[in-house]
């Protein structure tokens, strides 16, 4: 059968549908009207956003939750540059994503036409692949390749520029077959070697990270950890990879980490690193393992061969996706005795003590330990927590026990402003889930405009803004490095409760611990997107140390 003639826009949208796309996030532009027109008749849900940074972060969150590429459409020039934080997050977080960018007509290239940019040059180093389509007949090939690139090996973002006339031109071309993500399987001899290493170990430890995990892969890993009574830690912002209430869980390698956890990893004789890269944050600025030769025997399992041996030279390198590797673990058997099992118990106890919010007291009328204890009591275990970057995020990372895959949306890239768009994306996908944003006063307003998107699509998410009147993280660093010299870190904030109401949502101000529980209850039952504007004493900059104490310590060390 010969293919019938379609516009480039129609061919493109038909490819999206056949690769299983059910949702796109966009800000419209006149540069890609023909694609928007094709979407008019497609069975694909659209979320129209207020800024391309928000749209790209929503698409990235979709990729994190589903393992399928999140799809984002933005206009040329400023639309594309606005989308760049989302593209960078997808790159650092190894998330599959495809960003379609409008482009000027082919015949105008190189004149610096209106909003013209060279997307290969701009996004080449940031994306996994950046390209431009020259011929509508090549959409099936290029979109198929984009899905393969975005999902295979170490997943990442693909950027595809769409010249306006390529979208309106006609072509008769057959569709591509649906892309299947490629699983890479470990070899039998590698699994036998892993078993041998485990049998010879006295003090092993497991670190889980990266992407390409699924609910099933997590469950399989839990069974493996159970059979071996292994201590398991998650890397920075990957806490959803292992249930925190499991006897094998020993904590996460984030910022402000449990010192006992670090000591345990340093003293281990075998480190099994699955899925992650152990990059700057989890490795505590590359101090946790020696580079290139860790003194522990390192087994590194990663879906991308170019990550194996990139920083750490592993004793055993296994090029496998988490799904395939965890399936193979079912055939690995424990030794007759497990010399490390008491250590696992002690490490879990240490995690429990470290993550107990009721033990925390800090300056001010609103006690975050009590807030976290209350959230632990009332929110469902499968609530999705979303956050961007700032010290406020510590409260979530340290004190919320993540228990299910698909419940954590947080950028390992440390991009501020991620929480709100991620939550909008998550709630659009999973309306039945409880979705909570933790945001700082600085962090929230980086993408606060997407609160309008939450209202537009009737998404009752809960936003908890921790307002300390400053870019607190940077102030903390200032007090450590340049004590008493406050420079460009203070903020004057709006009334965030009034902001919520002005957008058509629910808002309340919370100043004291005892006011949090009833306000939370009202926010959760408001049936609208809600903001709890929580005022935190600026002194309460970390769970353990006040701002003044940090400054005094720095001043004392200068004497
Ligand atoms: C997009 C972006 N810009 C700047 C930074 C640097 N940065 C990291 S944390 C932070 C301050 C965060 O302030 P806020 O959200 O109020 O949280 P707090 O630290 O006060 O709890 C800044 C500016 C960043 N990580 N990302
Ligand atoms: Mg702040």
């Amino acid at each position: 059968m010969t293919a019938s003639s379609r516009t480039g826009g129609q061919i493109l949208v038909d490819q999206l549908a056949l690769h299983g796309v059910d949702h796109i996030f966009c800000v419209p532009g006149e540069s890609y009207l023909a694609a928007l027109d094709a979407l008019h008749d497609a069975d694909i849900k659209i979320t129209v956003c207020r800024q391309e940074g928000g749209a790209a972060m929503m698409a990235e969150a979709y990729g994190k939750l589903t393992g399928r590429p999140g799809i984002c459409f933005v206009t040329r020039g400023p639309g594309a540059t606005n989308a760049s934080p989302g593209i960078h997050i997808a790159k650092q977080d190894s998330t599959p994503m495809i960003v379609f960018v409008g482009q000027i007509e082919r015949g105008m290239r190189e004149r610096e036409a209106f909003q013209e940019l060279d997307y290969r040059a701009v996004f080449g180093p940031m994306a996994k692949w950046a390209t431009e389509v020259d011929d509508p007949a090549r959409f099936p090939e290029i979109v198929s390749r984009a899905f393969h690139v975005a999902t295979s090996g170490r997943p990442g973002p693909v950027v595809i520029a769409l010249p306006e006339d390529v979208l309106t031109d006609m072509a008769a071309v057959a569709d591509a077959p649906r892309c299947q993500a490629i699983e890479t399987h470990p070899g039998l001899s590698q699994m036998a070697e892993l078993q041998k290493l485990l049998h010879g170990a006295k003090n092993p430890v497991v670190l889980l990270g990266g992407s390409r995990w699924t609910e099933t892969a997590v469950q399989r890993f839990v069974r493996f950890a159970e059979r071996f009574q292994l201590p398991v830690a998650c890397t920075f912002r990957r806490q959803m990879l292992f249930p925190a209430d499991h006897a094998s869980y020993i904590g996460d390698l984030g910022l402000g980490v449990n010192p006992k956890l670090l000591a345990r990893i340093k003293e281990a004789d075998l480190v099994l690193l699955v899925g992650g890269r152990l990059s700057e944050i989890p490795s505590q600025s590359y101090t946790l393992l020696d580079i290139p030769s860790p003194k522990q025997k390192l087994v590194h399992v990663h879906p991308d061969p170019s990550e194996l041996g990139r920083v750490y030279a592993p004793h055993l390198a296994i090029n496998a996706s988490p799904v395939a590797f965890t399936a193979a673990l079912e055939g690995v058997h424990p030794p007759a005795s497990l010399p490390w099992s008491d250590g696992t118990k002690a490490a879990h106890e240490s995690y429990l003590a470290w993550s107990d919010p009721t033990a925390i007291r800090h300056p001010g009328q609103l006690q975050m330990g009590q807030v976290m204890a209350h959230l632990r009591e009332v929110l469902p275990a499968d609530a999705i927590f979303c956050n961007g970057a700032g010290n406020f995020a510590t409260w979530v990372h340290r004190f919320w026990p993540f228990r299910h895959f698909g419940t954590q949306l947080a950028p390992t890239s440390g991009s501020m402003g991620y929480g709100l768009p991620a939550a909008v994306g998550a709630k659009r996908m999973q309306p039945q889930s409880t979705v909570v944003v933790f945001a700082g006063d600085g962090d929230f307003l980086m993408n606060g405009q997407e609160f309008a998107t939450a209202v537009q699509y009737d998404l009752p998410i809960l936003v908890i803004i921790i307002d300390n009147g400053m870019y607190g993280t940077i102030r903390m660093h200032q007090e450590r490095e340049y004590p008493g010299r406050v420079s460009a870190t203070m903020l004057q904030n709006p009334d965030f409760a009034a902001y919520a109401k002005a957008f058509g949502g629910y808002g309340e101000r919370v100043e004291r611990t005892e006011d949090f529980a009833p306000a939370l209850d009202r926010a959760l039952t408001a049936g609208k997107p809600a903001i709890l504007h929580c005022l935190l004493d600026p002194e309460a900059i970390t769970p353990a140390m006040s701002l003044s104490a940090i400054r005094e310590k720095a001043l004392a060390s200068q004497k």
Side-chain angles (χ1 to χ4, degrees):
M1 203 178 80
T2 50
S4 57
S5 204
R6 294 172 284 178
T7 65
Q10 283 164 341
I11 303 170
L12 165 60
V13 170
D14 287 349
Q15 305 314 299
L16 296 182
L18 72 85
H19 288 298
V21 172
D22 52 12
H23 205 134
I24 69 152
F25 302 90
C26 74
V27 175
E30 72 278 22
S31 57
Y32 69 94
L33 285 178
L36 287 173
D37 187 65
L39 281 163
H40 183 270
D41 302 323
D43 190 15
I44 295 178
K45 227 156 114 178
I46 301 182
T47 299
V48 184
C49 307
R50 298 304 176 121
Q51 212 258 23
E52 291 83 356
M57 290 183 198
M58 289 180 204
E60 197 278 343
Y62 179 103
K64 263 202 182 93
L65 281 185
T66 64
R68 290 181 278 128
I71 307 293
C72 179
F73 273 78
V74 298
T75 200
R76 55 200 176 187
T81 51
N82 272 350
S84 60
I87 298 170
H88 184 249
I89 294 168
K91 168 77 166 142
Q92 291 232 305
D93 283 41
S94 312
T95 308
M97 174 159 93
I98 306 175
V99 180
F100 293 95
V101 184
Q103 173 64 310
I104 54 156
E105 288 179 20
R106 285 167 291 185
M108 295 181 181
R109 277 188 191 136
E110 305 272 344
R111 292 179 184 156
E112 198 179 339
F114 183 59
Q115 303 178 335
E116 181 177 355
L117 269 184
D118 175 350
Y119 299 101
R120 288 190 183 95
V122 172
F123 293 110
M126 196 194 296
K128 201 172 165 193
W129 182 41
T131 192
E132 185 159 314
V133 184
D134 259 338
D135 174 355
R138 293 193 66 189
F139 270 121
E141 171 198 345
I142 288 170
V143 175
S144 168
R145 180 169 165 196
F147 274 83
H148 283 92
V149 170
T151 55
S152 65
R154 181 182 166 200
V158 171
V159 175
I160 303 181
L162 310 167
E164 211 172 320
D165 52 335
V166 172
L167 289 175
T168 49
D169 273 9
M170 307 287 289
V173 63
D175 290 334
R178 184 175 180 149
C179 165
Q180 298 288 341
I182 298 151
E183 301 293 344
T184 321
H185 297 264
L188 277 178
S189 60
Q190 292 176 319
M191 297 311 283
E193 176 66 13
L194 172 62
Q195 179 167 306
K196 210 167 108 194
L197 287 169
L198 284 163
H199 283 223
K202 294 272 174 298
N203 197 13
V205 67
V206 178
L207 311 178
L208 303 180
S211 62
R212 303 199 60 173
W213 287 85
T214 62
E215 181 78 58
T216 307
V218 169
Q219 282 165 4
R220 284 190 196 128
F221 202 88
V222 169
R223 278 201 295 280
F224 166 71
E226 250 160 38
R227 289 191 293 120
F228 281 76
Q229 294 180 32
L230 282 167
V232 179
C234 294
T235 57
F236 181 49
R237 298 184 169 167
R238 297 295 191 210
Q239 290 152 281
M240 67 175 187
L241 298 184
F242 202 84
D245 57 352
H246 192 282
S248 269
Y249 187 62
I250 63 168
D252 71 303
L253 281 171
L255 299 158
V257 70
N258 180 355
K260 287 191 181 154
L261 173 61
L262 290 184
R264 177 163 299 275
I265 298 168
K266 285 191 173 154
E267 287 154 16
D269 58 353
L270 178 69
V271 173
L272 173 58
L273 168 61
V274 185
R277 301 184 295 126
L278 206 64
S279 59
E280 182 183 342
I281 304 285
S283 71
Q284 314 295 305
S285 300
Y286 298 104
T287 59
L288 195 54
L289 303 185
D290 291 347
I291 297 170
S293 306
K295 59 179 189 300
Q296 306 86 339
K297 282 187 177 147
L298 173 66
V299 179
H300 192 179
V301 184
H302 200 281
D304 197 329
S306 63
E307 293 298 336
L308 297 166
R310 177 175 173 178
V311 180
Y312 310 99
H315 186 82
L316 172 63
I318 301 181
N319 177 209
S321 59
V323 169
F325 176 70
T326 53
L329 280 178
E330 314 251 314
V332 177
H333 301 293
S337 78
L338 303 166
W340 54 78
S341 60
D342 284 346
T344 301
K345 276 194 199 102
H348 181 62
E349 292 296 324
S350 165
Y351 158 70
L352 290 178
W354 177 255
S355 62
D356 176 5
T358 60
I360 302 295
R361 290 281 177 283
H362 58 65
Q365 288 191 308
L366 180 69
Q367 289 293 319
M368 285 305 297
Q370 305 297 314
V371 165
M372 292 313 298
H374 184 69
L375 291 174
R376 285 166 73 126
E377 226 175 272
V378 299
L379 290 181
D382 62 357
I384 300 175
F385 269 78
C386 312
N387 63 267
N391 271 29
F392 66 87
T394 305
W395 298 107
V396 178
H397 296 327
R398 181 162 160 188
F399 299 109
W400 175 255
F402 288 90
R403 280 151 287 178
H404 294 280
F405 182 73
T407 58
Q408 185 172 32
L409 291 172
T412 65
S413 71
S415 188
M416 287 171 72
Y418 178 79
L420 178 62
V424 171
K427 191 75 179 170
R428 276 289 269 166
M429 268 179 275
Q430 301 182 18
Q432 74 292 351
S433 298
T434 301
V435 180
V436 181
V437 181
F438 250 72
D441 46 332
D443 175 82
F444 177 78
L445 278 183
M446 284 227 177
N447 274 314
Q449 76 284 345
E450 300 307 336
F451 198 72
T453 312
V455 172
Q456 176 162 344
Y457 292 99
D458 197 13
L459 307 173
I461 56 172
L462 169 69
V463 185
I464 298 176
I465 298 181
I466 309 297
D467 177 0
N468 55 6
M470 59 184 176
Y471 287 126
T473 311
I474 312 308
R475 171 76 182 274
M476 174 183 74
H477 289 298
Q478 276 175 347
E479 297 290 3
R480 268 187 198 146
E481 309 292 331
Y482 304 95
R485 293 172 60 79
V486 181
S487 179
T489 45
M490 297 307 290
L491 294 173
Q492 182 174 335
N493 286 313
D495 174 344
F496 287 110
Y499 177 106
K501 289 179 206 151
F503 277 67
Y506 181 82
E508 264 196 69
R509 183 180 177 93
V510 179
E511 297 188 27
R512 297 176 312 167
T513 307
E514 56 270 36
D515 299 334
F516 183 78
L520 177 74
D521 190 44
R522 287 188 290 271
L524 287 173
T525 51
K528 308 175 181 185
I531 291 179
L532 289 183
H533 181 182
C534 300
L535 294 168
L536 182 66
D537 191 317
E539 277 294 317
I541 192 68
T542 73
M545 237 177 148
S546 71
L547 202 54
S548 312
I550 291 172
R551 181 192 308 146
E552 277 151 27
K553 192 172 162 202
L555 286 171
S557 74
Q558 284 179 352
K559 280 185 190 143

